Amino acid sequence: KMPYERFLDKSKIPDEAAVASALGPAKALWAETHAYIQAHYDHTLEARYFTKQSGWSFRYRKGKKTLCYLFPEAGAFTVLIVLGGAEAERAEGMKDRLSDAVRHAVETTEQLHDGRWIWFRVTEAGDVRSLQALLAAKVKPKPNV
């Protein structure tokens, strides 16, 4: 499939202005996603070059554990969340709470020995809520402060 228009230049970490410009109308969804993760998880955000095809990502991690990757691109962003066996089972149990696109990604992603690598594109508020549900299946969020 065609790669989305992402930040592929390994020599240049995309800054906030470049990311905001590329995201366009999805900028609010991006901001909401970061605000939610920062409020409910004590993971650190870091820019990380993923692959030549995927380009730059923003990864939340704590110690050696990655919560998720966010890939900014033209008009949207893509999420990668890796769910282990038990986590994937919890995600299966909440499929009715997921947007159609995210439910499809969960249902069609194969479970590998190291987990289920679920990729989906965030284009609407329902996708952000779906990500929040999948994050909760992976790591219990801190209660609202």
Side-chain angles (χ1 to χ4, degrees), residues 39-41 140-145:
H40 293 88
Y41 296 94
K140 194 172 160 51
K142 293 187 298 198
N144 277 343
V145 182

Side-chain angles (χ1 to χ4, degrees), residues 15-36:
D15 63 17
E16 258 181 80
V19 169
S21 173
L23 289 168
K27 193 167 49 179
L29 300 173
W30 176 263
E32 181 185 347
T33 298
H34 285 282
Y36 177 85

Side-chain angles (χ1 to χ4, degrees), residues 93-114:
M94 59 173 60
K95 283 195 303 200
D96 58 329
R97 291 171 40 202
L98 304 178
S99 68
D100 291 344
V102 177
R103 184 179 323 109
H104 179 76
V106 169
E107 289 173 344
T108 58
T109 301
E110 188 184 353
Q111 188 74 32
L112 304 172
H113 67 92
D114 62 344

Side-chain angles (χ1 to χ4, degrees), residues 8-129:
L8 301 178
D9 180 355
K10 189 174 186 174
S11 69
K12 204 164 106 220
I13 299 174
D15 63 17
E16 258 181 80
V19 169
S21 173
L23 289 168
K27 193 167 49 179
L29 300 173
W30 176 263
E32 181 185 347
T33 298
H34 285 282
Y36 177 85
I37 293 172
Q38 289 161 8
H40 293 88
Y41 296 94
D42 50 359
H43 290 61
T44 305
L45 179 64
E46 58 187 22
R48 182 170 179 95
Y49 192 78
F50 199 76
T51 62
K52 331 196 266 264
Q53 294 78 28
S54 299
W56 281 96
S57 70
F58 292 86
R59 169 172 82 170
Y60 280 97
R61 74 183 291 189
K62 182 178 176 183
K64 292 192 184 310
K65 298 246 186 240
T66 296
L67 185 63
C68 65
Y69 292 88
L70 307 172
F71 297 85
E73 56 202 36
F77 61 96
T78 293
V79 171
L80 167 59
I81 183 167
V82 180
L83 300 178
E87 298 162 351
E89 276 179 41
R90 287 196 291 274
E92 287 284 339
M94 59 173 60
K95 283 195 303 200
D96 58 329
R97 291 171 40 202
L98 304 178
S99 68
D100 291 344
V102 177
R103 184 179 323 109
H104 179 76
V106 169
E107 289 173 344
T108 58
T109 301
E110 188 184 353
Q111 188 74 32
L112 304 172
H113 67 92
D114 62 344
R116 198 182 294 194
W117 289 52
I118 300 170
W119 293 84
F120 60 91
R121 202 157 186 245
V122 174
T123 58
E124 59 177 41
D127 300 331
V128 174
R129 285 190 295 279

